Amino acid sequence: MKGMVFTEFLDMVEETFSIDMVDDIIDAANPKSGGAYTSVGVYDHQELVDMVIALSERTDIAPDDLVKAFGQHLFKVFFEKFPSFFKDINDSFTFLSSVEDYIHPEVIKLYPDAQLPRFDCQREGNTLNMIYHSSRHFSDLAEGLIIACARHYGEQVEVKREMLDENSARFQITRC
Ligand code: HEM
């Protein structure tokens, strides 16, 4: 997983908790990489999962909720770092549908070693179905990104999630 994801996660931990918490969870997770993350590096995604578990143990916040909160943080970072992906898009369904067809393919051009999920999207009126496929099991991250996206466009949505199999989840996003 790209180092940017790790450095942004640790920035969120520092902002929300403290720099001591950052040091503490890196120590507890004892990552194989050594834990000196840089945005240009690539690390095993399990190291992120281990830090989330360490943070959960110290904050009593469930790992799923921490990853969802991180998804919301990451959306704001993407908006700042990649303004071109938001150009001429005025609603969440158009933006979310563009992740598979345009945004992630552009991400791969920028970072050929990125490991990205696949989304199958289908729109039916006020509902967008997004099926998430990834062996990395970050559907909580996807949910946080989806929620932040709706908020970004000032929309009220209901997000339902159903696990389809070990590596796939269906998000049913309905505009209220
Ligand atoms: C401007 C918008 C976006 C950009 C620039 C972007 C870029 C990225 C990057 C750089 C990664 C890390 C890849 C790696 O670590 O190797 C990533 C992963 C991921 N992205 Fe996006 N993304 C965007 C929007 C979204 C949205 C809206 C969703 C959800 C619907 C999403 C879902 C995910 C998930 C779940 C992962 C984790 C990897 C996995 O599950 O296999 N992304 N994305």
Side-chain angles (χ1 to χ4, degrees):
M1 184 162 250
K2 293 300 297 177
M4 183 182 79
V5 179
F6 287 79
T7 55
E8 288 304 336
F9 174 72
L10 294 173
D11 278 358
M12 181 189 79
V13 174
E14 184 178 342
E15 271 167 33
T16 315
F17 302 100
S18 65
I19 186 74
D20 289 345
M21 182 66 93
V22 169
D23 293 340
D24 207 13
I25 63 170
I26 295 176
D27 280 352
N30 191 17
K32 268 203 218 97
S33 69
Y37 299 107
T38 69
S39 62
V40 291
V42 177
Y43 309 92
D44 186 342
H45 74 278
Q46 187 59 41
E47 294 191 6
L48 185 67
V49 174
D50 291 344
M51 288 194 286
V52 168
I53 292 167
L55 183 62
S56 170
E57 285 166 358
R58 283 157 183 76
T59 57
D60 265 345
I61 303 172
D64 296 7
D65 290 334
L66 290 170
V67 176
K68 264 183 240 171
F70 176 47
Q72 298 186 44
H73 170 87
L74 205 52
F75 190 86
K76 291 187 194 146
V77 172
F78 287 159
F79 180 62
E80 282 162 20
K81 284 202 156 80
F82 302 96
S84 64
F85 295 150
F86 290 81
K87 203 170 167 277
D88 298 331
I89 295 188
N90 301 311
D91 68 280
S92 67
F93 284 8
T94 307
F95 184 84
L96 292 170
S97 304
S98 76
V99 171
E100 178 67 17
D101 296 340
Y102 176 63
I103 296 176
H104 278 172
E106 289 297 313
V107 168
I108 278 285
K109 286 186 203 160
L110 291 171
Y111 312 111
D113 48 7
Q115 294 177 301
L116 295 161
R118 195 181 94 230
F119 287 101
D120 294 324
C121 295
Q122 219 179 17
R123 191 166 167 174
E124 288 164 24
N126 272 342
T127 298
L128 177 69
N129 285 302
M130 286 185 93
I131 302 185
Y132 163 81
H133 305 274
S134 170
S135 57
R136 287 168 294 281
H137 308 155
F138 275 123
S139 50
D140 288 316
L141 189 73
E143 188 168 328
L145 285 158
I146 290 167
I147 289 167
C149 178
R151 201 169 289 158
H152 174 84
Y153 288 104
E155 297 169 14
Q156 291 265 344
V157 297
E158 186 188 34
V159 182
K160 285 192 194 150
R161 191 199 326 175
E162 176 196 355
M163 289 309 290
L164 299 180
D165 59 47
E166 206 201 331
N167 294 332
S168 319
R170 184 206 316 272
F171 290 99
Q172 193 184 58
I173 310 156
T174 306
R175 279 199 184 122
C176 310

